[in-house]
Every structure is written in C-alpha cells, then in structure tokens.
Amino acid sequence: MDEQVLRDPSLKTRPIVAMVTASTVVVVAAMVTTVVILNLDSTTVTEATPLPFSGRGYNREEYMAARQSLLAKDQGRALGAKLKLNAKEQILNGILLKEKKEIMEKARVDRVLYTPALSFFKSKDWMEKTDTFKIIRKMPKGAALHLHEPAIASMDWLVKNLTYRPNIYMCTNKQGLILINTFQSPPSDPDCPWKLVSAERAKAQSIEEFDHTMRRSLSFIKTDPLTSFNGTNGAWDRFNLWFQQYTEIDGTVHNATFGAEMYKNATEMFVATHPDFFGAKIIMSGLRFKSKKDIADEVKTAMALRRKFPDFVLGYDLVAQEDPLNPLLFYLDGLLFPTQQSLDNAVPYFFHAGETKWEGTDVDENLIDALLLNTTRIGHGYALAKHPELADLVKERGIAVEVNPISNQVLGLVEDLRNHAMVPLLADDFPLVISSDDPATWEALPLTHDFFVAFMDLSSQDMGLGFLKQLAINSIRYSALSKNEKESLMSMWQIKWDKFVEDAVDQFSSG
Ligand SMILES: [Zn+2]
C-alpha cells in the first residue's frame, strides 16, 4: 500500500464515485473517510480509466489491441510461459492444447461434470484413457522431490512380491481392513489377530482371489476416503494405518546410520543396474507427535548423518498430520541447535509446512518458522497464498514449494482441484514443483497422475507443453543436488526430453 496516497488529504474528500471509477483496483471499506486504495501511486489516481489516447475512448481496433496486450502480459507471468519451444515441441504443444481445450470446453459449454477435477477415485480410470495422460506418462519429468518411502512401491509389488516373503503376517482389524507386518513371532492382539500370510494364502480356494482381496483392502483406491472415512481426519486415520505396517522383522532397533547406509546401498545397486536412473537422496524425518527431547536428539543425529553421508543424507524434516500435532515452534530449541553450534553444522531443513486450511492458527504459522529456520524447500505450503509477505520471500529466495495435488485432495484440503490453493502461484511463476507424496497408497503412478491433474486443473487452458517442461526443469533446478550433479542430470534429461518429443509427435500427430 502506498503510504503517500493514504496521507494525501485530498483523497479523503474525493467523492466515492470518483474513487470507484478511478482505477482498476479499488477496495472501498465502508465510508469515504476510510477508503483504502491498493496498488495505486499518486499519478494513477485520476478521474477516468487511464487510456493511451487523449480526449476519447478506444475505438474497437485499439480496444482489441489493448485487450490482447493485457492478456498476453497476464498469461506471460505463468510458470513455463517464458520457455521458447522449438518446432517439434510446438507440434506436441498443439496436440496437448487441442485435447485440453476439448475436454474443458465440453464440460464448460455442455455443463457436464468436469472429470479431471473430480475426486481422484472417480477420475483415475478416465484420465488414463486420454492422450494427454499417455503423453505425460512417457514424458521425462525430472526429479520427484517429495515422496515418502513406505508409499512409493506399487501395490502390485507389495502384494505380489513383499507379501510372498517369509515371516509376513496379516490381520484384519475391526473396520475390516487388512494390516500387514513382519515378525519373528507375532504378538497376541485380540482386536487384530496376526496370521501368517503364506498359511492363509495356502488355505485360500483361489490365490488370485486372495491376492485381489488383500490388494483391495490395502489400497485407498477402492473407495473415496473422504466419504468413506468421514472427512479429513478420517482420511488421515486410514492413511496412518498404512505407515504402521512396516517394522524390522526380529524386533531389532537399528540406529539411523544403519538405515542411511541401507538406503544408500540399495540406491547404488539400483543405479548400477538402471543407468538411466540418476539416483536418490534421503531426508531424515521425525514425527510431529514426538517429545521435544526426541526431536532434539534426532536433529543431532541428522547432524552426524550429514557429516557421514554428505552426498546422500540431505537434511531433516518433520512429518505427520500437521493440523492436530505439534507446530515447528514447539521444537524450536532442538531445531535451532545446529546453527547455534556453528553455521558449518547447519542441517538443511525441508519442512512440511502449511498443509492446512486453518488460517491464522499455530499450524498455519509453521510457514513462518519454516522460513526463519531457513528451510531449503517447503513441503505442500498449501496455505502460502494467504500470506503475501511469506509468499514474496519464497519467490525472492527461490524456495521451492513441493505441490502434491492428489495428496491434498485425498487428504481433504480441496475437493475440486481447480480450486487448489496453488493455482495463483502457478499462474505467477513461483518456484514450484509437482510431486506425489504417497502415490502407492492411492495407486497413483509416481508423478504421472499428479502432473496430469496439474496440467488439467492447476493451469490455464492456454498452458501447454511449456508448463510441463518447466515443471520438469524446476524439479532439477530446485533439487538438492550439487551444481555438478544438476548439470549432468540436466544433460541426461535433455537427451531423454528430445527423444520423448520426437516419439510423441510421431505417435500422436497422425490422427
Ligand atoms: Zn509429505
């Protein structure tokens, strides 16, 4: 707000009608004496709409030119709008925009439900049939910057591989949901009696049927959690069950170094056999219901892990449902500890923050603490657009926000994805990436389904391949890779990208 405008005494006596017609953005609060003017400097407070022509209004041609220029300026601010597409990319862009427009216009003009914005549980099968989905599936999407490792592997792998291993137990809880765990010998639990999966499977009349039932029970996809589990909290309760299901087989509690080493070895083995997979890094994460002391100890462990695996362990985060649990501020002393020792000891933070609809609450203020604690990126940041000062800071500093649209919908932050809180920030080229959070739980493919809904619901009808390409580029740019690693990943990605464009044009331009 321009202070000078407010202090200008002439403004207070100006008739309200003149104020309202004076310019584009005027908010009138109750009375003439409390008129508030936004985005105006003293030179634009004039009696009429500022026109480039003196003495008369636009003729039609001038109007259309002014309209085109304003529209282009507005569209030009969107994420990806500044990318220049080469000839082949422009062909693919045309293919994508054609289908996008057809789907949107059909729903808008015929006033039928717009499937891409419906609950993922209703839209999933439909979206997979579109050319846009098939193209996005093949597209090299860069890096997934926000995934939780118990929810990455596919449901097929979980049922057909993991549950076929020895010492895997299952139980059916009171809600009829199957839980899976691994024990040397299972504890007695009358509410959910544990049985060996291999024995149950052997007893089953049909193995296919047995596996199918297990898959349906484990998956979110059979049903819409928001209606089936009674809103956001119910969805989270169901969701938390998933994460209770994995423990060490003989009850041994390994230290964090063991865990980091295990992930590092597994990553290296995978990269060795999959040369087009660049690699993976991990962020240690604590749970927001733990004690201050536990979290303070974990932060110290994260410091030690950073020293031991500087290229693999990236930093520290706090996870679990933000709304009812402890805010970052609760753990402040532990979180401040590393930099109080010395800046060299800093543990980079990657906080989940602002995954909430509760404006102005402790949980909403997690965004403030995440920024003051120098977070490298923000997980979700769903509430960010409600905090203009914080949003400015995020943009200035290039702190990427990891947007997980399907997760936000499944966990009840938004129903119609076109109303996703990140839409205005995507339209203004904020440092954003799209990720998938916990794709296996709702049977989404890592990145593909989220990119699809970002394309169809979170971006404008005129945003095509440039939007998708920019998201892929952002995922590398805002990754926590070293400069050299980013450069080699970018060149690896570029080769894949060019091939993808070539192939997609061949495959989809015939029709
Ligand atoms: Zn997450």
Side-chain angles (χ1 to χ4, degrees), residues 216-363:
R216 275 176 59 89
S217 176
L218 290 171
S219 167
F220 269 50
I221 197 74
K222 66 188 167 97
T223 177
D224 188 337
L226 280 188
T227 48
S228 310
F229 303 110
N230 202 14
T232 303
N233 292 319
W236 266 96
D237 290 346
R238 170 67 185 91
F239 184 60
N240 288 335
L241 276 180
W242 177 280
F243 290 94
Q244 287 170 8
Q245 299 193 13
Y246 306 95
T247 57
E248 181 65 40
I249 182 164
D250 59 1
T252 309
V253 179
H254 291 293
N255 65 18
T257 307
F258 176 92
E261 219 144 44
M262 186 183 71
Y263 282 120
K264 190 167 186 290
N265 292 341
T267 304
E268 284 164 2
M269 274 162 59
F270 191 82
V271 170
T273 50
H274 299 77
D276 69 337
F277 181 74
F278 190 78
K281 302 196 181 216
I282 60 170
I283 295 162
M284 184 178 167
S285 50
L287 298 162
R288 291 176 191 275
F289 49 78
K290 287 193 175 180
S291 71
K292 287 180 186 176
K293 178 168 185 319
D294 282 351
I295 297 301
D297 288 347
E298 285 186 8
V299 171
K300 287 177 192 160
T301 304
M303 288 166 75
L305 289 178
R306 280 285 293 161
R307 276 195 297 274
K308 194 166 165 56
F309 307 103
D311 300 328
F312 186 67
V313 177
L314 296 175
Y316 188 74
D317 183 11
L318 280 161
V319 301
Q321 189 183 7
E322 252 181 282
D323 281 340
L325 298 173
N326 296 320
L328 290 175
L329 194 56
F330 180 78
Y331 300 113
L332 186 63
D333 294 334
L335 296 171
L336 284 174
F337 178 80
T339 47
Q340 284 170 346
Q341 309 314 299
S342 85
L343 289 180
D344 294 341
N345 281 324
V347 171
Y349 293 131
F350 294 81
F351 290 123
H352 280 66
E355 187 185 3
T356 187
K357 294 191 276 199
W358 291 104
E359 190 180 358
T361 60
D362 285 355
V363 53

Side-chain angles (χ1 to χ4, degrees), residues 146 148 319 352 355 380 404 437-438:
H146 185 130
H148 298 274
V319 301
H352 280 66
E355 187 185 3
H380 296 291
N404 305 280
D437 212 9
D438 306 284

Side-chain angles (χ1 to χ4, degrees), residues 3-223:
E3 296 252 330
Q4 259 184 327
V5 173
L6 287 181
R7 280 201 298 271
D8 180 351
S10 68
L11 285 174
K12 293 189 176 164
T13 57
R14 210 179 278 259
I16 192 164
V17 175
M19 283 299 175
V20 175
T21 55
S23 100
T24 47
V25 190
V26 178
V27 177
V28 180
M31 290 166 61
V32 178
T33 49
T34 56
V35 164
V36 178
I37 298 179
L38 302 174
N39 285 349
L40 287 180
D41 59 44
S42 49
T43 57
T44 60
V45 182
T46 54
E47 292 302 320
T49 310
L51 296 175
F53 313 100
S54 55
R56 60 172 173 84
Y58 289 124
N59 66 30
R60 189 178 169 81
E61 221 168 77
E62 292 159 352
Y63 178 88
M64 291 311 286
R67 186 179 190 283
Q68 184 50 41
S69 146
L70 186 55
L71 182 64
K73 265 193 190 166
D74 194 54
Q75 290 175 334
R77 285 173 65 156
L79 186 144
K82 289 176 191 73
L83 277 184
K84 297 270 174 286
L85 301 180
N86 65 28
K88 278 261 152 127
E89 287 172 332
Q90 283 178 32
I91 299 172
L92 184 56
N93 184 49
I95 295 166
L96 285 163
L97 286 179
K98 182 168 176 282
E99 189 177 53
K100 186 176 191 177
K101 189 170 183 182
E102 275 167 13
I103 295 168
M104 284 188 169
E105 291 302 278
K106 180 149 182 39
R108 185 175 72 86
V109 178
D110 297 348
R111 302 198 291 179
V112 294
L113 278 178
Y114 180 62
T115 314
L118 297 181
S119 160
F120 180 61
F121 302 91
K122 296 189 180 115
S123 64
K124 182 175 185 285
D125 290 345
W126 175 88
M127 73 171 79
E128 288 168 5
K129 295 187 186 90
T130 64
D131 283 353
T132 300
F133 184 89
K134 291 170 195 158
I135 291 169
I136 290 175
R137 184 164 190 182
K138 293 220 165 114
M139 180 183 130
K141 290 170 280 291
L145 300 188
H146 185 130
L147 294 174
H148 298 274
E149 105 284 344
I152 302 176
S154 73
M155 197 64 70
D156 284 330
W157 182 86
L158 190 72
V159 172
K160 290 289 184 190
N161 183 320
L162 189 113
T163 71
Y164 275 74
R165 296 182 185 196
N167 295 95
I168 303 290
Y169 286 79
M170 63 188 283
C171 75
T172 307
N173 73 6
K174 284 187 169 152
Q175 291 109 38
L177 293 168
I178 293 174
L179 309 186
I180 302 286
N181 214 328
T182 171
F183 306 103
Q184 210 74 291
S185 59
S188 148
D189 182 351
D191 288 338
C192 201
W194 292 105
K195 294 168 186 169
L196 202 56
V197 172
S198 55
E200 296 301 299
R201 189 178 271 123
K203 276 192 266 172
Q205 290 200 327
S206 151
I207 288 175
E208 274 314 303
E209 188 55 39
F210 178 87
D211 286 353
H212 182 67
T213 307
M214 179 180 268
R215 196 178 194 283
R216 275 176 59 89
S217 176
L218 290 171
S219 167
F220 269 50
I221 197 74
K222 66 188 167 97
T223 177

